[in-house]
Amino acid sequence: MITVAVVAAAISKLVLIPLLPGCTQAQICGLTGDGKTVLGYQTGLQKNVAFIWDAKAGSKELGELSWNMWRAGMPSTEYDSTGNLVDRVGIKPGDVRWARIVAFMNTPKADLKPFKTPWLFGSSADGKVCVGNGNSKDGPEGFLWTKAGGAVGIGDLPGGFFYSQVLGLSPEGNWAVGCSKSYDGLTAAVWNKARGLVALRFKDQDKGFSRALCCSSGAKLIGGEAETARGTEAIVWQPGQDGSFVRSLQGSAVPAGWTLLSVDCVSDAGAAIAGEARNQEGKTRVWIANIVSRQ
């Protein structure tokens, strides 16, 4: 059980990151640990470029991306402040390449039994814990891998058929987030070794699915997406509380005509969150918000 004081998250500033010239769509792929630098890619009719952004320098193109590159894995936060990939799993630099701004990770030589067709997509900050998904004897299941302990499945929630998926990992590697099938359908969930897999709830849970996508250190702030009668929206969870939609947080000030779709990245200390937004014309932008706590 998490034993922390219950406080409410609030937003001190929310920014829609401007599109680069010639671009109409944007997606986020990374947020540095200090929560100040965003990485992603932007596209247009004749353009497909990686970009990096911070509040002081604004957006900068990192280079053209090939339309034919395969996007492998999940959005990665393994970048430094200049947009370079950080080698945190002990693999050779040649084994990592840009693939629409997402890092393709060749699976380390590791015993991933009993999982069949497993794949890894990320790791803890020190590279000692890798995270991935595969098929166990019970069905699709997310897992964590360490050299000492091998692959350990996260299990699944009660209700529905057996299914779980890991979508994010805390920097220290103790907490995994994702989703699982439950009595409420596809449900956001958080896992650690002591507690096992626990559902993350929110109001209007019966309206649709939810997924947890990212996690700060110690799981003090978890980000994701949830579907209600309004559609899919960005949501955050804090220990001991139901999820809160970002639009409803004090100070959110979402620009008129825009919907915050997801929280895809959380900074290590939970001081910033970032995700994607869409307007009424179907255009997408990346957003970032500074988080403060209210007693």
Side-chain angles (χ1 to χ4, degrees), residues 175-259:
W175 299 83
V177 297
C179 57
S180 178
K181 289 287 187 179
S182 74
Y183 294 109
D184 296 313
L186 190 65
T187 303
V190 58
W191 177 96
N192 80 346
K193 187 175 181 180
R195 301 175 69 209
L197 193 64
V198 177
L200 296 169
R201 303 295 180 183
F202 65 100
K203 293 181 180 179
D204 297 326
Q205 181 88 31
D206 60 336
K207 301 295 184 181
F209 73 90
S210 61
R211 301 194 306 164
L213 302 173
C214 52
C215 179
S216 73
S217 179
K220 295 177 182 178
L221 189 68
I222 297 170
E225 60 185 5
E227 184 183 41
T228 69
R230 297 169 61 104
T232 302
E233 295 189 76
I235 189 171
V236 292
W237 289 271
Q238 293 176 277
Q241 301 183 53
D242 286 342
S244 298
F245 291 100
V246 176
R247 60 171 165 78
S248 68
L249 297 179
Q250 183 178 346
S252 61
V254 180
W258 288 87
T259 298

Side-chain angles (χ1 to χ4, degrees), residues 101-126:
I101 201 71
V102 178
F104 178 84
M105 183 188 300
N106 286 353
T107 303
K109 293 182 179 179
D111 183 3
L112 298 178
K113 295 178 181 179
F115 291 90
K116 298 179 179 179
T117 62
W119 59 279
L120 301 174
F121 66 86
S123 72
S124 58
D126 61 9

Side-chain angles (χ1 to χ4, degrees), residues 12-265:
S12 62
K13 187 177 183 181
L14 190 150
V15 176
L16 276 180
I17 296 175
L19 292 169
L20 294 165
C23 295
T24 58
Q25 308 290 335
Q27 283 190 283
I28 185 172
C29 295
L31 177 66
T32 51
D34 61 10
K36 296 180 179 180
T37 307
V38 172
L39 293 107
Y41 66 91
Q42 298 189 18
T43 62
L45 290 176
Q46 303 294 328
K47 208 167 190 180
N48 184 35
V49 293
F51 79 96
I52 187 169
W53 176 94
D54 66 58
K56 292 183 178 180
S59 295
K60 175 184 176 182
E61 291 188 19
L62 292 177
E64 187 77 15
L65 298 173
S66 169
W67 287 103
N68 297 322
M69 280 183 137
W70 176 43
R71 182 178 178 181
M74 299 302 297
S76 172
T77 57
E78 305 306 313
Y79 304 92
D80 64 20
S81 60
T82 62
N84 294 316
L85 287 166
V86 178
D87 175 13
R88 288 183 171 174
V89 291
I91 55 181
K92 298 177 182 178
D95 290 337
V96 178
R97 65 176 186 269
W98 289 108
R100 287 200 179 184
I101 201 71
V102 178
F104 178 84
M105 183 188 300
N106 286 353
T107 303
K109 293 182 179 179
D111 183 3
L112 298 178
K113 295 178 181 179
F115 291 90
K116 298 179 179 179
T117 62
W119 59 279
L120 301 174
F121 66 86
S123 72
S124 58
D126 61 9
K128 294 182 178 180
V129 182
C130 291
V131 64
N133 296 286
N135 289 294
S136 67
K137 63 180 179 60
D138 297 307
E141 185 176 2
F143 65 86
L144 281 70
W145 176 88
T146 61
K147 185 175 181 180
V152 177
I154 66 170
D156 102 314
L157 296 174
F161 58 83
F162 190 97
Y163 175 89
S164 67
Q165 184 180 22
V166 175
L167 298 170
L169 185 68
S170 65
E172 73 278 11
N174 293 335
W175 299 83
V177 297
C179 57
S180 178
K181 289 287 187 179
S182 74
Y183 294 109
D184 296 313
L186 190 65
T187 303
V190 58
W191 177 96
N192 80 346
K193 187 175 181 180
R195 301 175 69 209
L197 193 64
V198 177
L200 296 169
R201 303 295 180 183
F202 65 100
K203 293 181 180 179
D204 297 326
Q205 181 88 31
D206 60 336
K207 301 295 184 181
F209 73 90
S210 61
R211 301 194 306 164
L213 302 173
C214 52
C215 179
S216 73
S217 179
K220 295 177 182 178
L221 189 68
I222 297 170
E225 60 185 5
E227 184 183 41
T228 69
R230 297 169 61 104
T232 302
E233 295 189 76
I235 189 171
V236 292
W237 289 271
Q238 293 176 277
Q241 301 183 53
D242 286 342
S244 298
F245 291 100
V246 176
R247 60 171 165 78
S248 68
L249 297 179
Q250 183 178 346
S252 61
V254 180
W258 288 87
T259 298
L260 305 183
L261 299 175
S262 57
V263 177
D264 298 283
C265 302

